[in-house]
Amino acid sequence: MSGSTGRPLGRRTFVLGSAAAAGTAALTGPLAGTASAASFGWSDDGSNYVVDTGASLVFKVSKTNGDLTSLVYKGTEYQGYGGKNSHVESGLGTSTVTIAQSGTTILISVAYGTLKHYYAARSGENNVYLWTNKADSSVTATRYIVRVKAGLFLNDEPDSYTYAPTVIESADVFEKSDGQTRAKHYSKLRVMDYDSIGWTTGSVGLWIVRSNHEKASGGPFYRSLLRHQSADGGGLYEILYYGENQTESERYGLQGPYVIALTDGGAPSSSLYPGTLTTSWADSLGISGYVAAGGRGRVAGVGITGRDTAYAYTVGLANSAAQYWGSARASDGYFSVTGVLPGTYTLTVFKGELAVYSGSVTVSAGATTTLNTIAVPSSNDPSNASAIWRINNWDGTPGGFKNADLMTYMHPSDVRAASWTGNVVIGSGTETSAFPCYLWKDVNSGIVVYFKLTAAQAAAAHTLRIGVTTAYANGRPQVVVNDTWTSAVPSPPTQPSTRSLTVGSYRGNNYTFTYSVPASAWLTDTSAYNTLKIYVASGSGTTSFLSAGTSIDAIDLLN
C-alpha cells in the first residue's frame, strides 16, 4: 500500500515463485517458447473443442458449459485442482458453445442466458484471450478463475492463501500455529498497481494479464481478490465485480480482453498490458459489446496546478457505464487517458487517494478532448489549512499510521502487527507512527491524544477534524476533550456495508468529521497537557475486530 507520502506503486507484475529466476529468464512475451505454427487449428474430441495455438500451448473448452477443461503447455497439464475446471464464476451450466476460425484467429463463443463469454487464440502465441459480457443481473458472473493443479508452483509468498489450522473469521480468514494470518482477500495491490499476476518456476510462468477494468467498479485504488494458493492447488482471478468494501454499483457490458499467458518463466510481454494491448485482429470477430479503437476517444490534460509535489496525482474518469484513470506527470501534471468509450464522465483529480478536484468531461469517438490546465483550489486540499497540530497528512489513506503498511495483507490480529492500543503525545515526533491506522469499538476505542496549547490558543474555540477512509458497521468517531466536553455522536456517512478492515481494504468513501470545540473546553494552564479521547460510536458490529470500526486518514486541530 502507499506509504506516508501517499505515492502509488508503479505498474507491475505480481509473481509467486522464484523471483530471481524470473528476472533472469531469457525470453518473455507472447511468442516465448513458440514452435512452428504449422499445427495451428482446432478439433472436436466429442466433449471439447481442442485448440492448438501452433506454439507450445493446447487448450480445451467444454462444448457443454464453456469451461476451460485443459491447459497444456510444453506437454504439461496446468489446468485443474480438486476436480474443478477453469470458468466464469463457479461454472455456467449448460450453454451454447460454438467455434469459428478466421485466418490466424480461433474464437470460441459461449452463450448462457444473457451472458456471452469468449476464448480466442492467435497462431503462434502461447496466450488465451478472454472476454466476458455480462449484460444484466440475471446471471451471477463476477469473476473468471483459472484453476491450477497443485505442486506446479511454489507456495512461498508471505500472504499466500493456505488453509491454516484455525478459522478466525467468516470461514475464509485463517491463523497458522505461529500466529500469522492468511486469506484469499489479502492481495496487497490496488488495481492500478499491477498489470498481471501469476506464478513462475523460472522456466515456466503462468499469468493472468488483467483487462483495463472499464466495466469493473471501485476505481483505480480498489483492492480485489487476485489469486490464492493452497495445498490442493491455486487460482488466478480476473474479477469482473468484487463486493468486499465496494463503493460503486456494478457496471454491465463487455469486459476484456484479459489474457491467460504462458511464458518461459518471465513476465508476460508488456504488449499485452492494459492500455498497450491492441486487438485490431478482434474487430471483425462479432464479439458482443465490442468497441474497436476507432469507436473510442481520449482525454488529455495540459497540466494540474496547485499540487503538493510530494504526492503522486491520479486522474479518474467515471460514469455509470465505465471507469478509467491515468497518472499525472510529476513535473507538471500532464495526463492522458486513452481508449475511453464515448460519453460524459465525472473527472476527479486525486492527491494520493484523496479527491481534491471534480469536474465533467465529454468524450467522443475517434477524438481527443483536450483540457486546459486544471487548477486545484487551495481549500480543496485539507493539508493547506493552518493547524495547531496535525497527525499524519491528508492523502486519502492511512499510510504512515501504526500497522498501516501491514493491513492490506494480514488480519489485524496477526502476530506481526504492533499493539493496537497506546496513547499519543503531540510534539513527541512519533505522533503518526504511534497512532493506530484503524480504531474499533471493542479493541482500542478511547485512544488518548495529549497536547499543549498557548494561552492565546486556549482562549479561543477551535475546529477539530478527523478524516476517515472507510468504516465498518457504521463506526464513526465521537470525541471527549479534557473529560469535560463531549461531542455529539455524528451521523454515519455512506460507506460500504461489507467487511473492510479485516479483509485487506481501507478504501471506502473518504469523509471528514468536524467538531467545533468551545474555548471553555481547553485547559488554561499552558504547562498542562490537554487530552483528546477518540471513541468509536455505533450500535452495530459484533466483537473484537468485527466490532464497529473505522480507518483514519488524518487528524488535526485548526488555528
Side-chain angles (χ1 to χ4, degrees), residues 367-385:
T368 295
T369 302
T370 302
L371 303 178
N372 294 325
T373 298
I374 293 174
V376 176
S378 177
S379 59
N380 284 15
D381 184 346
S383 296
N384 292 328

Side-chain angles (χ1 to χ4, degrees), residues 7 26 51 131 133 137 163 175 202 206 219 339 369 372 387 413 434-435 476 481 493 496:
R7 296 183 181 274
V51 178
W131 290 262
N133 188 341
S137 61
Y163 292 99
E175 184 180 68
L206 174 57
T369 302
N372 294 325
S413 66
F435 197 99
R476 66 267 197 198
V481 176

Side-chain angles (χ1 to χ4, degrees), residues 15-262:
V15 180
L16 180 61
S18 174
T24 58
L27 291 174
T28 61
L31 301 182
T34 58
S36 169
S39 59
F40 176 73
W42 65 272
S43 60
D44 183 339
D45 70 3
S47 299
N48 306 278
Y49 290 123
V50 183
V51 178
D52 189 330
T53 66
S56 300
L57 176 64
V58 178
F59 65 92
K60 298 180 181 182
V61 174
S62 168
K63 294 166 57 180
T64 301
N65 57 19
D67 283 4
L68 183 70
T69 60
S70 177
L71 191 68
V72 175
Y73 178 63
K74 294 184 177 180
T76 298
E77 176 67 79
Y78 286 87
Q79 149 60 37
Y81 70 81
K84 298 178 180 179
N85 296 323
S86 300
H87 40 218
V88 175
E89 201 59 29
S90 296
L92 293 176
T94 301
S95 306
T96 300
V97 185
T98 58
I99 190 167
Q101 182 170 344
S102 176
T104 57
T105 301
I106 294 171
L107 181 71
I108 297 175
S109 304
V110 182
Y112 179 79
T114 61
L115 181 83
K116 304 294 188 293
H117 181 70
Y118 303 91
Y119 300 88
R122 297 277 288 162
S123 178
E125 294 188 12
N126 292 313
N127 302 314
V128 183
Y129 297 85
L130 302 96
W131 290 262
T132 304
N133 188 341
K134 182 179 178 180
D136 51 45
S137 61
S138 64
V139 178
T140 299
T142 59
R143 68 181 183 180
Y144 189 92
I145 178 170
V146 180
R147 300 186 185 272
V148 183
K149 292 174 65 175
L152 297 176
F153 298 99
L154 294 177
N155 185 13
D156 59 354
E157 281 293 302
D159 62 333
S160 296
Y161 184 44
T162 53
Y163 292 99
T166 305
V167 177
I168 61 173
E169 183 177 306
S170 193
D172 60 7
V173 182
F174 304 89
E175 184 180 68
K176 297 173 62 180
S177 58
D178 61 3
Q180 293 191 11
T181 53
R182 299 287 189 269
K184 61 184 179 182
H185 306 287
Y186 300 147
S187 67
K188 294 185 181 179
L189 303 176
R190 306 170 303 177
V191 66
M192 68 177 293
D193 296 331
Y194 73 95
D195 293 307
S196 62
I197 54 160
W199 298 300
T200 180
T201 64
S203 59
V204 173
L206 174 57
W207 317 84
I208 275 192
V209 181
R210 70 167 175 85
S211 69
N212 67 354
H213 278 220
E214 68 182 2
K215 295 297 184 179
S217 298
F221 314 122
Y222 190 68
R223 284 181 167 83
S224 183
L225 193 156
L226 299 181
R227 59 97 182 94
H228 76 261
Q229 194 172 33
S230 58
D232 56 351
L236 299 177
Y237 294 86
E238 169 74 344
I239 296 293
L240 311 178
Y241 179 79
Y242 193 53
E244 294 282 9
N245 208 34
Q246 181 60 253
T247 58
E248 295 184 298
S249 299
E250 185 172 4
R251 293 181 171 94
Y252 299 111
L254 185 67
Q255 181 107 319
Y258 49 104
V259 187
I260 303 171
L262 281 299

